[in-house]
Amino acid sequence: MKVHFFLLAPALLLAACATPNGSGNDPMAPRPIEELPEAVAAVVAPNQNLSQVRIMPDDGCYWYQWAGPVETTYLPLRTRDGRMICTRPEGEEVAG
């Protein structure tokens, strides 16, 4: 079966218009924190990217950008003993 370019071209053009997750101009997207609070910086485990930290609105926790060999994603910012660092108590409902 032969695929003609004119059938494939619209799909390629639409794919070129898509923005990757986390980019674009979404006003509700979490923004990187300018300066990490001292109390948070004091308990953070080593080897986490503190230059790209966000508070995610769905859980109120700090997440940092991790750049792996295949993808870049956000992971929960954790303390030295492995606990997530959040701005509100665990289990508190999110309004919305």
Side-chain angles (χ1 to χ4, degrees):
M1 186 166 148
K2 189 175 183 180
V3 177
H4 296 283
F5 178 74
F6 68 89
L7 294 175
L8 189 57
L12 292 173
L13 289 173
L14 286 175
C17 295
T19 57
N21 289 340
S23 66
N25 294 325
D26 182 4
M28 298 305 290
R31 303 279 181 227
I33 295 173
E34 297 280 329
E35 187 175 333
L36 200 60
E38 287 183 35
V40 173
V43 297
V44 170
N47 301 322
Q48 298 178 95
N49 180 8
L50 300 183
S51 67
Q52 290 291 322
V53 175
R54 299 174 179 205
I55 297 176
M56 295 298 186
D58 57 336
D59 63 5
C61 296
Y62 290 89
W63 291 64
Y64 73 98
Q65 188 178 59
W66 177 79
V70 176
E71 67 180 346
T72 298
T73 189
Y74 278 85
L75 298 175
L77 192 64
R78 297 194 179 266
T79 63
R80 289 181 188 96
D81 61 354
R83 291 180 291 149
M84 290 178 62
I85 303 171
C86 299
T87 59
R88 58 181 172 258
E90 187 177 340
E92 183 177 311
E93 290 295 319
V94 179

